[in-house]
Amino acid sequence: MSDLISIREAASLLDTDVMLIAHIVDVGDVLPTPPVSKDFQEIVFTSGDIERFQTEVARRRFDDFKVQYADVYVQDEGPGARGLEFGPGWLGILKEFCDSLREFQNAGYRARLRWGKEKFGAMRLFYDCSDEIATYIAERKGIAYGKSLRSCQECGEPARLQFGYSICLTLCDRHKHLVGEPDPERDGIILDVDAWSRQQREGA
């Protein structure tokens, strides 16, 4: 193949960074046509691969969501601004939360999502809302948190918190390789880090 594209060139063509492309390849759902090198810096693509990766990058940037929910998703701005920093498997949970924001907004209240992230395998959402509905929004945030601990961050299939030695993520069996070798002292034992931490404090 004479038209092979390096991972750095692919990242430039896709207007993203090398680490996101490497992560997509590691996930394994979208792969380049040439055999994948174990060294991510040596991964190469064909020109035909770029369109498929373009679709996947857009999915991971939540491009369609940002258009569909522009009325309730007001992206964080300024120094240190954050975005939607979790996998596309949680899109359904995200939409459900934003649908509830939309209901409150349509009733005349301020309700906007600003940003979100994954931490310890769970979805964390940050929002701005009227004081009168803060308790209700917090409840819906808690529902999203709970659902994220049962849904694969990569594909949305039923999942559990997978504990590796250096990272934990909520993943299905197909994607659990992303945490590496399981830590037998925590994997399958700690299924909610926040709840486990509270128990440890209360037991101290």
Side-chain angles (χ1 to χ4, degrees):
M1 297 181 184
S2 59
D3 63 340
L4 293 182
I5 299 166
S6 73
I7 193 168
R8 292 191 180 281
E9 291 168 330
S12 178
L13 288 169
L14 295 165
D15 190 27
T16 190
D17 59 82
V18 167
M19 295 314 296
L20 176 59
I21 304 300
H23 176 71
I24 292 171
V25 173
D26 192 23
V27 170
D29 295 337
V30 182
L31 294 170
T33 302
V36 176
S37 169
K38 290 183 179 180
D39 182 347
F40 80 89
Q41 296 184 64
E42 295 180 3
I43 296 171
V44 292
F45 305 78
T46 67
S47 56
D49 293 331
I50 299 303
E51 186 175 348
R52 292 187 301 110
F53 273 78
Q54 191 170 37
T55 300
E56 181 63 10
V57 168
R59 189 172 79 97
R60 289 176 175 275
R61 285 177 174 164
F62 298 96
D63 286 353
D64 289 345
F65 167 83
K66 290 173 183 177
V67 172
Q68 294 168 6
Y69 287 85
D71 56 328
V72 291
Y73 175 55
V74 181
Q75 191 161 340
D76 205 22
E77 295 179 345
R82 308 287 293 269
L84 299 174
E85 301 164 7
F86 43 75
W90 287 348
L91 177 60
I93 301 170
L94 179 65
K95 285 184 172 183
E96 189 175 275
F97 177 77
C98 286
D99 285 340
S100 67
L101 295 186
R102 187 173 276 164
E103 289 176 11
F104 284 113
Q105 194 175 86
N106 290 341
Y109 297 100
R110 186 179 75 258
R112 298 173 296 200
L113 175 67
R114 300 308 300 268
W115 64 285
K117 68 176 181 177
E118 174 275 329
K119 183 178 179 182
F120 298 135
M123 175 185 274
R124 319 285 174 143
L125 297 171
F126 300 85
Y127 53 86
D128 172 36
C129 71
S130 303
D131 292 342
E132 301 95 320
I133 60 170
T135 300
Y136 301 106
I137 301 297
E139 288 175 357
R140 284 155 177 79
K141 175 184 174 181
I143 291 170
Y145 173 94
K147 287 186 174 183
S148 70
L149 282 171
R150 301 189 301 273
S151 305
C152 179
Q153 184 181 192
E154 291 298 333
C155 67
E157 290 296 311
R160 71 163 173 85
L161 190 62
Q162 309 278 352
F163 249 106
Y165 283 96
S166 61
I167 189 173
C168 63
L169 296 168
T170 299
L171 301 165
C172 64
D173 285 345
R174 183 160 60 94
H175 293 117
K176 66 183 181 181
H177 67 277
L178 295 172
V179 300
E181 187 71 23
D183 178 352
E185 294 187 5
R186 297 182 292 177
D187 186 56
I189 298 166
I190 302 173
L191 300 177
D192 180 337
V193 174
D194 285 5
W196 179 83
S197 297
R198 284 194 301 272
Q199 289 171 356
Q200 298 304 300
R201 289 194 300 270
E202 291 166 2

